């Protein structure tokens, strides 16, 4: 027996081929490609998700439209490797069975694709954490997404073994993108819930069993394809196929019931120290101090004014009786960017416009009402772009200049009133909120 220099018996057991493929082969580059691609996608859209846990989870899930075809293309490239090297016939003479050889080459790519996604998801959650203003992480869809990536890589590997065509990988990626995107944009129907990349409603969560059933659906189909190609007894592919069909039937039968609304999404958190009260969606409770600060001048100047709505509400749809609509905090990227109000002055002006409640008066509003609205907005929260629009009117025709002069006169008249007189005027003005005609709107 030959000993090493240290007197130890040398290892005669060769490294497992799965380990060699996972460490030194093409698989690690697949994980890096998934991580880099997802990083680019998330960075480009960071204003729309960074700062909201639900938005981050939805953005990660929506990225499957691009990442899943990428994983399939990577698997296809790996599957055609032996043919490109002209070693496919030699590979068939190996002692190991066909399924074992297939898995040794395909599984590392699938695992690295899922690992790249997991790393990108962890980085995205870390990027959201400093800016989150309420809610909690929404992680329900991530395990199913990781299984989808692994399944796409395995199916792509089978395609690479079967199709002797160099452009097979990019063509497969394009076909995968179309296959995932079309059901999501087609007419609504229960079958669209079979699409593992279907956009998740922001503010909703999947039922507890949905990710597991979706994983059985995608993983079962991929396993059936692999067994049908590489197993010695190909009829064993019927077992995962049956499981996939059962999971798909459950997804279709449940339909929209796969999702339930997050309780926080329908709850409001209010600051009752002002009139009107200021309420925001409970998912963004931490933004309430910023909204209060943005509206502090408005609520301060409305102190003692009668006929105001009871509260500002941050909810979709028409406001209920006695309420006024706040500018919506969501979707992110407009009013809110990375946990901060993007433009508090613009936000306050939009809130005052909702107080006036004349959204249905377009084209029918009396000019005197329009001037009164302009004067109230200028007094409570002037638009940050008001100076620009005034300059345009001043450079226009005689009618535009006359209207500008009338608006400026109305602004000056309201600003010059004493506090009690202005309070009485504003009370009468808000009593006529929502009217398109001049009746009931006090003159300026």
């Amino acid at each position: 027996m030959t000993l090493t220099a240290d007197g130890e018996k040398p290892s005669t057991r060769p490294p497992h081929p799965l380990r060699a493929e996972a460490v030194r082969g093409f698989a690690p580059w697949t994980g890096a490609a998934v991580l880099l691609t997802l990083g680019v996608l998330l960075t480009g859209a960071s204003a729309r998700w960074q700062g909201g846990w639900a938005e981050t989870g939805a953005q990660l899930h929506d990225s499957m439209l691009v990442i899943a075809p990428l994983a399939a293309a990577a698997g296809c490239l790996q599957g055609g490797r032996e043919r490109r090297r002209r070693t496919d016939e030699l590979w068939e003479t190996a002692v190991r069975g066909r399924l074992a050889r297939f898995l040794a080459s395909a599984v590392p790519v699938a695992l690295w694709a899922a690992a790249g996604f997991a790393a990108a998801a962890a980085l995205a959650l870390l990027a959201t954490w400093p800016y989150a203003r309420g809610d909690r992480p929404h992680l329900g869809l991530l395990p199913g997404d990781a299984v989808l990536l692994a399944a796409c890589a395995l199916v792509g590997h089978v395609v690479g073994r079967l199709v002797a065509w160099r452009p097979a990988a990019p063509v497969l990626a394009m076909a995968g993108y179309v296959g995932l995107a079309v059901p999501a944009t087609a007419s609504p129907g229960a079958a669209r819930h079979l699409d593992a990349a279907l956009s998740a409603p922001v503010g909703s969560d999947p039922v507890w069993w949905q990710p597991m059933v979706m994983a059985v659906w995608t993983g079962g189909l991929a396993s059936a394809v692999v067994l049908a190609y590489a197993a010695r007894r190909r009829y064993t592919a019927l077992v995962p196929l049956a499981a996939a069909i059962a999971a798909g039937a459950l997804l279709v039968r449940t339909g929209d019931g796969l999702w339930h609304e997050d309780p926080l999404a329908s709850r409001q958190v209010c600051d009752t120290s002002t009139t009107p009260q200021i309420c925001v969606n409970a998912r963004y409770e931490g933004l309430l101090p910023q909204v209060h600060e943005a509206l502090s001048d408005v609520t301060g100047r409305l102190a003692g004014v009668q006929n105001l709505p009871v509260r500002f509400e941050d909810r979709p749809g028409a406001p209920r009786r006695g309420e006024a609509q706040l500018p919506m905090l969501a979707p992110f990227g407009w009013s809110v960017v990375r946990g901060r109000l993007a433009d508090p002055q613009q936000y306050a002006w939009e809130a005052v416009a909702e107080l006036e409640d004349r959204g249905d008066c377009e084209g029918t509003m009396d000019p005197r009402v329009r001037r009164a609205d302009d004067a109230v907005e200028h007094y409570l929260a002037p638009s940050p772009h008001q100076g620009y629009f005034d300059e345009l009117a001043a450079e226009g025709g005689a009618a535009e200049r006359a209207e500008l002069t009338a608006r400026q006169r109305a602004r000056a008249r309201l600003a010059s009133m004493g506090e009690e007189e202005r309070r009485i005027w504003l009370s009468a003005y808000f009593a006529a909120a929502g009217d398109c005609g001049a009746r009931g709107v006090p003159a300026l």
Side-chain angles (χ1 to χ4, degrees):
M1 180 186 298
T2 304
L3 301 178
T4 64
D6 297 330
E8 297 179 356
K9 182 179 178 180
S11 176
T12 58
R13 186 176 182 179
H16 195 282
L18 189 64
R19 180 180 180 278
E21 291 281 2
V23 175
R24 295 190 298 272
F26 174 72
W29 291 104
T30 301
V34 170
L35 176 61
L36 179 61
T37 303
L38 189 52
V40 171
L41 293 175
L42 292 174
T43 301
S46 60
R48 298 200 300 268
W49 59 266
Q50 197 172 6
W53 291 118
E55 286 78 5
T56 301
Q59 190 70 34
L60 285 169
H61 178 70
D62 290 345
S63 68
M64 289 299 104
L65 277 176
V66 175
I67 302 302
L70 174 65
C76 187
L77 284 174
Q78 178 78 342
R81 179 185 61 180
E82 305 306 330
R83 184 184 301 106
R84 293 192 300 273
R85 292 177 175 178
R86 304 181 189 279
T87 59
D88 48 334
E89 294 182 359
L90 178 62
W91 185 247
E92 291 293 333
T93 63
V95 177
R96 296 181 182 272
R98 187 178 187 184
L99 181 59
R101 298 195 305 270
F102 178 92
L103 294 178
S105 178
V107 167
V109 175
L111 293 180
W112 270 104
F117 172 72
L123 292 175
L125 293 171
L126 285 175
T128 287
W129 175 67
Y131 305 105
R133 295 294 179 264
D135 206 359
R136 55 174 175 75
H138 291 249
L139 309 178
L141 291 172
L142 301 188
D145 292 340
V147 173
L148 172 62
L149 289 179
C152 288
L154 292 175
V155 172
H157 198 97
V158 173
V159 174
R161 290 285 184 91
L162 293 175
V163 179
W165 189 40
R166 288 188 177 275
V171 170
L172 178 62
M174 289 186 288
Y177 177 82
V178 173
L180 292 173
V182 168
T185 57
S187 58
R192 65 192 176 96
H193 294 288
L194 294 176
D195 184 358
L198 185 69
S199 293
V202 176
S204 297
D205 288 321
V207 295
W208 65 270
W209 50 264
Q210 190 265 7
M212 293 183 288
V213 175
M214 183 60 73
V216 173
W217 163 245
T218 56
L221 289 178
S223 299
V225 170
V226 170
L227 292 176
Y229 168 76
R232 179 179 299 177
R233 298 176 177 85
R234 295 184 177 181
Y235 61 82
T236 56
L238 296 176
V239 176
L241 181 60
I245 292 174
L250 181 57
L251 293 172
V252 171
R253 182 178 180 83
T254 308
D256 292 332
L258 293 168
W259 304 92
H260 63 86
E261 188 177 20
D262 183 355
L264 286 180
S266 58
R267 189 163 64 86
Q268 299 278 297
V269 178
C270 300
D271 181 344
T272 59
S273 65
T274 64
T275 302
Q277 299 174 11
I278 301 173
C279 302
V280 300
N281 192 292
R283 291 173 52 217
Y284 314 118
E285 181 177 0
L287 286 170
L288 185 56
Q290 293 185 48
V291 175
H292 174 92
E293 178 65 25
L295 300 181
S296 59
D297 287 344
V298 175
T299 55
R301 291 173 179 174
L302 290 176
V305 175
Q306 304 299 313
N307 303 315
L308 292 172
V310 175
R311 64 182 63 86
F312 282 111
E313 291 278 3
D314 174 37
R315 68 171 87 244
R320 295 177 293 193
R321 185 175 181 84
E323 298 177 351
Q325 178 69 58
L326 268 182
M328 295 295 293
L329 297 175
F332 286 178
W334 297 93
S335 294
V336 178
V337 177
R338 296 183 183 87
R340 303 292 302 178
L341 285 181
D343 190 341
Q345 186 180 0
Q346 177 75 13
Y347 187 85
W349 173 72
E350 292 177 5
V352 170
E354 293 293 342
L355 275 179
E356 296 164 353
D357 191 24
R358 303 197 206 277
D360 297 329
C361 297
E362 189 66 31
T364 63
M365 191 185 304
D366 189 285
R368 290 171 292 177
V369 177
R370 189 178 292 109
R371 291 171 199 146
D373 289 349
D374 178 79
V376 171
E377 293 172 7
H378 193 269
Y379 172 69
L380 294 178
S383 168
H385 309 294
Q386 188 62 62
Y388 171 75
F389 290 118
D390 287 350
E391 290 178 4
L392 288 181
E395 296 171 357
E400 294 172 325
R401 292 196 298 271
E403 180 61 26
L404 173 61
T405 301
R407 289 202 305 267
Q408 291 174 333
R409 187 180 299 115
R411 296 173 193 168
R413 173 74 181 98
L414 181 60
S416 64
M417 290 180 181
E419 289 188 12
E420 184 61 27
E421 180 187 6
R422 184 164 50 240
R423 191 176 298 118
I424 294 172
W425 188 94
L426 287 172
S427 297
Y429 169 83
F430 283 111
D435 293 342
C436 302
R439 172 180 288 185
V441 177
L444 277 175

